Amino acid sequence: MAETPEPSSATKEITQYVNINNAKLVALFMVIVFIGYHSTLHFKYGNDSCKRLMNDGRFPGREQWQPYGCMMHKYSNADARMCMHYISYWGGHNHFSFVGDSRVRQLYYKFVSLLSDGATPEDEGSDQGKAHHDLHFSDSKINIKVDFLWHPMVNASMYDVYYKWLKSDQPSTRPNVVITGSSTWAIKMFNGSAAAIKNFYSNLTMIAEMYNKLKDSTKVFWMLQDPVQEEKLVDARKMITNEQINSYNKIAVTALEDSAATIWSSSRKVALGMKYDLSADGLHINKAALKIDSQMLLNMYCNNDMNHNDGTCCNSTEQTTTLQVITGIGFLVCMAISVGMMVYRRRARRILNKARLAAESSGQNGSVIQTDYNSAFYEIFTSLGKLGLIMVYFYICDRTNFFMKENKYFTHLNFFLPFVYVMILGLFFTETSNQTSLLHRDQTDEWKGWMQLVILIYHLTGASKVLPLYMHIRVLVSSYLFLSGFGHFCYYWEKGEFSFFKYCKGWRQQPVIWRQRNSQLRRVVEVLFRMNLLVVSLCFTMNRPYQFYYFVPLISFWYMVIFVFMAIPPHVTAESSEASPVQYLYVILKFVALIAVIALFYLSEVFFEKVFLMRPLKALFVTSDDSIKEWRFRWQLDRLSPVYGMLFAFGYKVLVRYKVIRTDGTESLFSYPVSWALCGLSLVGLASYTIFSLLCNNKYQCNDVHSYLTFLPIVSFILLRNVPGFLRTRYSSFFAWFGRISLELFICQYHIWMAADTHGVLVLIPRYPVLNVVITSFIYIVTAHEISVITKSLCTYAVPQDLRSLLRNILIFVAVLIPLCHVNGLLGF
């Protein structure tokens, strides 16, 4: 019989070159290219985000303005007043002057309305008596003064304003911010003549000298003139054409090019984007455009003092701490050592090859020359060097302004389009699994994978504003904790051995016990290491508290709770329960005790804080402002989800033990009538939760009942996915691949996919948002995969099978940690 032909050469070539390792090389090349590209941009145009804010931007959606390359915070009245109060408290000077015509007056009114704690007029129509007069606003509570000075033309009158400020005996009387602009009156008064344009240039050139002299005390912003809607203009204004306005804007840019004044061109681009939404007279700007302009002014003035997470425009980067410097030096040393070892390894190979060739040419059977480098030492430092290189990329992306950042923008299309695309793509890669048990490994990897991708889409698009979406994502997060409870309970039920006497005895007489793969103590250390390596590295590198990455503290905490639950006497496992069924009662009593303890922590806030605020444990549960509110919120929101998973696992094991369900084949878990009934009930359960999320009024009410209802959609999905045999034995390899790196994906998104600690979006390719998301997603995914590989590699050496080696590693870790805790005041009691 002829031999079976091998796969086609085309298929072999594709699989040879299209793989994750080559993808990582491509991603590294991309990062180097983008570093070079942004370095060129900074060299050519500078790296001033304030300049970007006032110069350029775009409309990603209706009435949604996105500055070029930076994030704009949306200031409320409370935020704006807090800013002015803060600046005043620290000795700042809050004095704004708006100098110009009726358009500038419009902006004055809108700006004042954002700062005032009472009713103020928003347009000139409400204050006709002062239409062509100066206007003044002040508020002693926040120590602010805002003036509008009626100077509709660039002439001697406007020059005198700046001259008086310059010659003032009290420099504090000068405004620290001036917003000015003019042209429509000159066009109207001189009927659009060419002579008027020359006169405008001459006068503005003289006033520019005042700008230069006032630059130490006053920031001047010249607003380029907004377009008009010519068909709506009355006859007296017909000469104010967009052609004339463009000519005056060009003259203004030329006259002020080398002055201390900042050309505010982004306000004009906002108006251009809303050209057909002007006021009824065709000249003045609508309230939406004025609102955006006012927000730009507040972002320019306040961001650097208020440090809003979603406001990077005009905001300087945070100072590097000593711990970050030490961490950076440590990673640089590891990178240098790994590079040196790579060079040494190559050289050793060349020497070995030369010696072998020389021996063969002389006809001698020479012994093989052994290199003296240590493979374990090489792997450790190579992994640490790669991790250090990745941490450098993290730092550049989210602790510097080297790469750009933009605000999130939510629309239903932005969310559901990638959601549908990902779901279709995942279903396309379905395969048959060799496993048939309920929630087997392939299926749980698939579940984690598609949940993680949905969560990423949710975070990137800022969909938390939509309450039904928020509640469904809360279910997905709870599902992770449910799976954690289910998986760990099943593991310890089948393989658990918690006799501490054995371990103590084994340490003295039978060290081999520790080296057994079912050693539960070693598993605890290993699981905690793999969960926390990336987060701990990021805490040191990015200067963020452990609680900032809330999901890892949450799953680490509940893993320890599950371990203690299974480890405390009486020890119940599958083997012991088969010998004595009464032990099922012990498990039920332990569940009652666990739920009672959880209820105690939930009902007593004082007790909760006393436990979790104990030093040095406090550092694990508080945020950067020394508050435990975030941890309490996250804990109580999913306080029952791991317990649901453990209860479900316990029930499943009991049903399998008594052969109520069948999991050893591809048939349904139950008889056909029961299976169909359970599937129908599961659909009802999923639909019921969706209806609840649609009818829920606010997040507070939804969150209040979430912990009690979350089991309904989770268990409904599990039954629907597992009861029919044809569904239980099929899975998506696409989703499963992402599920195996879901933890790394969840953490890495904070800094190298999104930006500003998840409040914005990282921008490597400005002006092309879709292409930018594709490129950043590719780099982010392969980085997460590489971190997963590094973690597994380092775990082998950090958590060795030998107990003495492990204790040595723990002592080294503690020796490094104690000085850090002492410096940060975490060792006091």
Side-chain angles (χ1 to χ4, degrees), residues 264-445:
W264 187 6
S265 56
S266 55
S267 63
R268 170 177 167 78
K269 293 180 179 180
V270 169
L272 283 169
M274 298 182 173
K275 181 177 179 181
Y276 297 104
D277 293 325
L278 297 175
S279 58
D281 62 6
L283 176 66
H284 295 99
I285 308 303
N286 70 358
K287 294 179 181 179
L290 292 172
K291 183 179 180 180
I292 294 173
D293 292 344
S294 300
Q295 290 291 335
M296 281 193 274
L297 287 177
L298 285 171
N299 275 264
M300 174 276 301
Y301 188 73
C302 295
N303 279 359
N304 200 39
D305 292 291
M306 301 307 292
N307 287 319
H308 294 290
N309 290 322
D310 61 344
T312 61
C313 297
C314 302
N315 194 357
S316 58
T317 57
E318 63 181 51
Q319 295 293 322
T320 304
T321 64
T322 303
L323 179 57
Q324 286 176 291
V325 173
I326 294 173
T327 304
I329 293 173
F331 277 128
L332 286 174
V333 169
C334 291
M335 284 188 278
I337 292 175
S338 63
V339 171
M341 295 186 73
M342 287 179 186
V343 173
Y344 174 78
R345 196 179 192 189
R346 282 193 173 187
R347 183 182 176 187
R349 283 179 178 175
R350 287 198 299 268
I351 294 174
L352 179 62
N353 290 334
K354 287 181 179 179
R356 184 180 291 115
L357 290 174
E360 291 176 355
S361 62
S362 61
Q364 297 179 359
N365 239 348
S367 60
V368 179
I369 301 175
Q370 298 288 337
T371 55
D372 59 352
Y373 63 85
N374 188 295
S375 59
F377 192 71
Y378 172 80
E379 187 174 356
I380 291 172
F381 276 95
T382 301
S383 298
L384 288 174
K386 290 177 181 178
L387 182 62
L389 189 62
I390 292 172
M391 289 299 107
V392 170
Y393 179 61
F394 272 81
Y395 186 87
I396 292 174
C397 287
D398 212 24
R399 286 296 169 268
T400 70
N401 287 330
F402 186 81
F403 293 132
M404 301 177 184
K405 304 171 179 65
E406 290 186 353
N407 295 93
K408 300 176 183 179
Y409 174 64
F410 174 79
T411 65
H412 287 86
L413 181 63
N414 285 351
F415 176 81
F416 285 105
L417 186 63
F419 171 78
V420 172
Y421 176 77
V422 166
M423 290 297 110
I424 293 174
L425 192 62
L427 294 175
F428 183 76
F429 290 94
T430 55
E431 297 180 9
T432 301
S433 174
N434 295 324
Q435 305 174 60
T436 61
S437 61
L438 183 141
L439 287 178
H440 54 75
R441 182 60 181 268
D442 289 334
Q443 187 185 136
T444 53
D445 284 342

Side-chain angles (χ1 to χ4, degrees), residues 218-282:
T218 304
K219 283 184 178 180
V220 179
F221 294 91
W222 179 272
M223 291 182 65
L224 294 184
Q225 291 297 292
D226 299 334
V228 296
Q229 229 172 320
E230 298 177 13
E231 64 275 10
K232 289 185 178 181
L233 296 174
V234 298
D235 292 340
R237 293 172 174 170
K238 286 295 185 182
M239 70 291 295
I240 306 177
T241 64
N242 286 316
E243 183 180 356
Q244 283 284 326
I245 287 176
N246 290 337
S247 298
Y248 274 80
N249 282 335
K250 290 178 182 178
I251 292 296
V253 171
T254 303
L256 300 176
E257 186 176 9
D258 297 323
S259 71
T262 299
I263 301 294
W264 187 6
S265 56
S266 55
S267 63
R268 170 177 167 78
K269 293 180 179 180
V270 169
L272 283 169
M274 298 182 173
K275 181 177 179 181
Y276 297 104
D277 293 325
L278 297 175
S279 58
D281 62 6

